[in-house]
Each structure stands twice: as C-alpha cells, then as structure tokens.
Amino acid sequence: QVQLVESGGGLVQPGGSLRLSCAASGGTFSMYHMNWYRQAPGKERELVAAITNTGGTINYADSVKGRFAISRDNAKNALYLQMSSLKPGNTAVYYCYARHYSDAFRYYWGQGTQVTVSS
C-alpha cells in the first residue's frame, strides 16, 4: 500500500509560481510511474503531467507546456510540480497519482492540495 501526501498548494496571484510536492511512503517509489492531475470545480479530473518511474519520459497537457515542470527524486521518494506563469484557470485541486510500472491495477491517489490563482 502506497501513501501519497501532497503539499505546497495555496493562494497565488496571476503570473506567480508555486511548487507542489508529493511525498510517497509504503512502497518502492522507483517502481511507480507518477502523474499530477487536477480537478477544477464543476469539471472532470484531468491529467496535467506524467513522469515514468525512472524519469526518462515526461509528458504534459498542452495547456501547461512551457509553464509547468514535473520532476522526481527517487532517493527522497518525492514527486514535484513546479508551476510558473500561473493563470486563474489553473485554479483546482491538484492530485498526485502513482501507478506501478508493471501492474496497472496497483495505483494510488493522494488527497489533493488546493491551488487558487487569484488577485
């Protein structure tokens, strides 16, 4: 059982930056592909960024390319999302997601962290 705990959310002005973190425990972190998702009020949860277990492949939603950066530190069991040039439309609850690299049925969600972009 993997536990995921997000942190780093908060209120930021448009154009500002935030760095989200996701601390993982209870499993071998380096065996899990990791994603960031977000869900805005009244909208479906959407994929923001993804990184493979080794960090060798990274993908982003078109809406965040060039502004967000996903990274991981397998030695620290940590996942990050650096967000810059934030817009009000980026307001959402951001979730950390882990999926075992060889077993799609072994996946876990964090509880989410609120990001609010407003002046």
Side-chain angles (χ1 to χ4, degrees), residues 7-13 15-21 67-69 80-86 94 113-117:
S7 61
L11 174 63
V12 61
Q13 292 187 344
S17 298
L18 275 178
R19 188 193 196 206
L20 304 184
S21 299
R67 299 188 298 117
F68 289 15
Y80 306 101
L81 185 68
Q82 179 68 48
M83 305 185 293
S84 59
S85 301
L86 284 162
Y94 284 72
T113 185
Q114 176 70 47
V115 172
T116 302
V117 184

Side-chain angles (χ1 to χ4, degrees), residues 7-116:
S7 61
L11 174 63
V12 61
Q13 292 187 344
S17 298
L18 275 178
R19 188 193 196 206
L20 304 184
S21 299
C22 173
S25 61
T28 304
F29 185 67
S30 61
M31 291 187 177
Y32 287 84
H33 299 318
M34 300 296 297
N35 297 346
W36 285 101
Y37 284 82
R38 67 185 177 191
Q39 187 166 21
K43 295 187 177 180
E44 294 187 355
R45 193 169 296 189
E46 63 174 351
L47 179 64
V48 175
I51 186 168
T52 53
N53 62 317
T54 62
T57 300
I58 289 173
N59 288 291
Y60 297 99
D62 287 344
S63 60
V64 305
K65 283 181 181 177
R67 299 188 298 117
F68 289 15
I70 188 172
S71 62
R72 65 188 296 160
D73 186 337
N74 285 351
K76 295 182 178 180
N77 293 347
L79 175 73
Y80 306 101
L81 185 68
Q82 179 68 48
M83 305 185 293
S84 59
S85 301
L86 284 162
K87 308 174 182 178
N90 299 140
T91 295
V93 178
Y94 284 72
Y95 297 91
C96 178
Y97 168 90
R99 180 177 64 81
H100 195 275
Y101 82 100
S102 67
D103 184 353
F105 293 100
R106 291 168 62 180
Y107 63 92
Y108 306 93
W109 291 94
Q111 85 290 348
T113 185
Q114 176 70 47
V115 172
T116 302

